[in-house]
Amino acid sequence: MTGGPKLVSILRQGAYLIASIHTALDDSQMVRFQEDLIEQIGVHRSRGVVIDIAALDVLDSFGARTLRTIGEVARLRGAETVIVGIQPDVAFAIVSLGMSTGSLVTALDLEEGLEYLEGCSGRAVRPRRADR
């Protein structure tokens, strides 16, 4: 994934990694992303991972299976995984084709994904107050 714009960015925010997929990845790029992300979990001793797929307007069965695998391997390495930003058409296709997300947790957006991870880590999530 070198040369040209980055297809995926992996950023560290405290105990979490935030991985954003910026464009559709072919199978070899998806495998490389999986390897890089799993390596980064160990390097940073991450407790959680958010994978943002909002830029994807399509997700094939290999991509869905790879995301499931990332979630399972990350869990075995001590990190929870949340997939965020699933577009309505992608969600519909996943359901229509009978593809499973397995035990992957999903959230609407990055904010909800981080809130989920905060809850998993045992830290209290400050409730949002509308009266402020």
Side-chain angles (χ1 to χ4, degrees):
M1 288 196 277
T2 60
K6 290 196 84 157
L7 304 176
V8 176
S9 56
I10 301 173
L11 306 171
R12 181 177 170 205
Q13 181 170 332
Y16 308 130
L17 294 177
I18 301 171
S20 297
I21 300 175
H22 303 292
T23 188
L25 304 176
D26 65 29
D27 292 355
S28 64
Q29 292 166 331
M30 195 64 146
V31 168
R32 176 66 191 263
F33 164 61
Q34 173 183 302
E35 292 168 351
D36 290 347
L37 186 55
I38 297 303
E39 178 183 345
Q40 291 299 308
I41 290 169
V43 167
H44 298 295
R45 302 178 61 81
S46 300
R47 304 303 299 157
V49 177
V50 176
I51 302 175
D52 186 351
I53 63 169
L56 299 182
D57 57 359
V58 67
L59 182 65
D60 64 10
S61 61
F62 182 80
R65 188 171 51 252
T66 302
L67 291 175
R68 263 195 332 264
T69 300
I70 290 170
E72 291 169 7
V73 173
R75 183 179 52 77
L76 290 171
R77 300 207 66 202
E80 290 291 325
T81 302
V82 183
I83 306 295
V84 301
I86 298 175
Q87 297 297 322
D89 290 340
V90 173
F92 183 74
I94 288 171
V95 172
S96 296
L97 296 172
M99 293 188 299
S100 169
T101 57
S103 61
L104 273 181
V105 173
T106 61
L108 187 60
D109 56 24
L110 178 60
E111 183 179 357
E112 285 187 11
L114 289 171
E115 284 180 11
Y116 172 80
L117 292 176
E118 287 291 319
C120 289
S121 68
R123 293 186 212 159
V125 177
R126 286 184 295 176
R128 289 183 237 161
R129 294 189 56 178
D131 59 343
R132 287 191 179 184

